[in-house]
């Protein structure tokens, strides 16, 4: 289950950018071609985040559909399955323009209380 390696990378990325603050939310963008099972990723994230600054953080994600651009007819289309062919003209000369994303888009952290002397 590759979701555990993804979760490990997500936690490491979030902690790096949290600068010692507790992470409360991690937002991701996950493309359809990445074949990530959202429930499995959420489960793995919960386990990997234990005893780190991400423990208890909420994992949110945006699913990015597969989109291709057809060279012959210049049409951009969403596809739900193979083969990668243009639904308009049927040509196979298409390039993937969306659906390969796997990124931490943003994190939310707890604010550090200012010391008053």
């Amino acid at each position: 289950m590759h979701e555990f390696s993804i979760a490990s990378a997500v936690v490491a990325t979030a902690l790096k950018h949290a600068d010692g603050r507790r992470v409360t939310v991690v937002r991701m963008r996950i493309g359809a071609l990445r074949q990530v099972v959202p429930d499995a990723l959420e489960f793995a994230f919960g386990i990997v985040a234990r005893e780190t600054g991400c423990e208890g953080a909420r994992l949110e994600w945006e699913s990015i559909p597969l989109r291709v651009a057809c060279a012959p007819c210049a049409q951009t289309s969403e596809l739900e399955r193979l083969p990668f062919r243009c639904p308009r003209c049927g040509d196979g000369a298409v390039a993937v323009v969306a659906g390969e994303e796997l990124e931490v888009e943003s994190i939310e952290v707890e604010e550090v209380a200012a010391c008053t002397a």
Side-chain angles (χ1 to χ4, degrees), residues 31-46:
L33 288 177
R34 293 299 176 170
Q35 298 181 346
V36 173
V37 177
D39 290 340
L41 179 58
E42 190 170 25
F43 175 76
F45 179 81

Side-chain angles (χ1 to χ4, degrees), residues 63-86:
S63 296
I64 308 298
L66 170 61
R67 283 197 338 255
V68 296
C70 179
C73 74
Q75 178 76 24
T76 300
S77 306
E78 277 189 22
L79 298 180
E80 293 185 16
R81 61 184 188 284
L82 295 173
F84 291 177
R85 299 188 96 46
C86 177

Side-chain angles (χ1 to χ4, degrees), residues 38-57:
D39 290 340
L41 179 58
E42 190 170 25
F43 175 76
F45 179 81
I47 291 172
V48 172
R50 286 183 187 156
E51 298 180 13
T52 74
C54 287
E55 185 168 11

Side-chain angles (χ1 to χ4, degrees), residues 18-22 109-117:
D19 197 26
R21 296 169 291 177
R22 193 174 91 70
V109 298
E110 284 186 347
E111 292 298 318
V112 178
C115 293
T116 56

Side-chain angles (χ1 to χ4, degrees), residues 6-7 10 25-30 36 41 45 59-64 101-106:
I6 294 169
V10 168
V25 180
V26 177
R27 288 186 189 85
M28 298 186 65
R29 292 172 34 98
I30 303 173
V36 173
L41 179 58
F45 179 81
L59 182 63
E60 299 176 352
W61 60 87
E62 174 188 2
S63 296
I64 308 298
E101 298 82 356
L102 183 58
E103 57 197 26
V104 174
E105 182 177 47
S106 65

